[in-house]
Amino acid sequence: MIYDVLDFGAIGDGAASDTAAIQKAINLCAANGGGVVLLAGGNTFRSGSLVLKSFVELHLEAGAVLKASDDLKDFDLFQNNVTIEKGLDVPSYENCEYEGAPFLYFIYAKDAQNVSITGQGKIDGNEEIFYGTVTK
């Protein structure tokens, strides 16, 4: 079965947060035994943390973009209330400020089976939000 995130309230305009709509589609897909969660081409879906589940295929059609939110709070999936010092010249994981364990998640799955991300669309992790100035 196909679960189009637009049918779950996603806007796909690149500005509005589509996190809840995408996660709702993933949850229903998994609850019904699995299938395809569709991000339609020609849309940019802005999102915070997403939890993939067993037997779910996240499919990005050509021209679809799944873009990470601009707000780091949208990735605090386990409510660790972490803060990242802005203004670093490199992403925080390269400097290991987080004491060796990740604490922010964009796309997450644990103990899940038969999970896939497919299609010719693009996933943009929006890495710039993790550091301040982009330098050469």
Side-chain angles (χ1 to χ4, degrees), residues 100-119:
F103 49 75
L104 299 176
Y105 303 91
F106 181 27
I107 300 173
Y108 180 87
K110 183 176 180 186
D111 300 326
Q113 54 185 308
N114 298 319
V115 175
S116 60
I117 300 173
T118 63

Side-chain angles (χ1 to χ4, degrees), residues 57-62 117-122:
E57 173 187 345
L58 183 63
H59 183 80
L60 287 81
E61 287 184 335
I117 300 173
T118 63
Q120 295 182 358
K122 187 168 34 170

Side-chain angles (χ1 to χ4, degrees), residues 5-6 9-18 21-22 40-46 63 65:
V5 299
L6 294 170
I11 305 299
D13 65 358
S17 175
D18 294 314
I22 297 169
N43 295 286
T44 298
F45 299 95
R46 183 70 73 154
V65 177

Side-chain angles (χ1 to χ4, degrees), residues 1-3 29-30 32-37 54-58:
M1 182 157 203
I2 297 176
Y3 299 82
C29 179
N32 288 335
V36 176
V37 174
S54 293
F55 307 106
V56 172
E57 173 187 345
L58 183 63

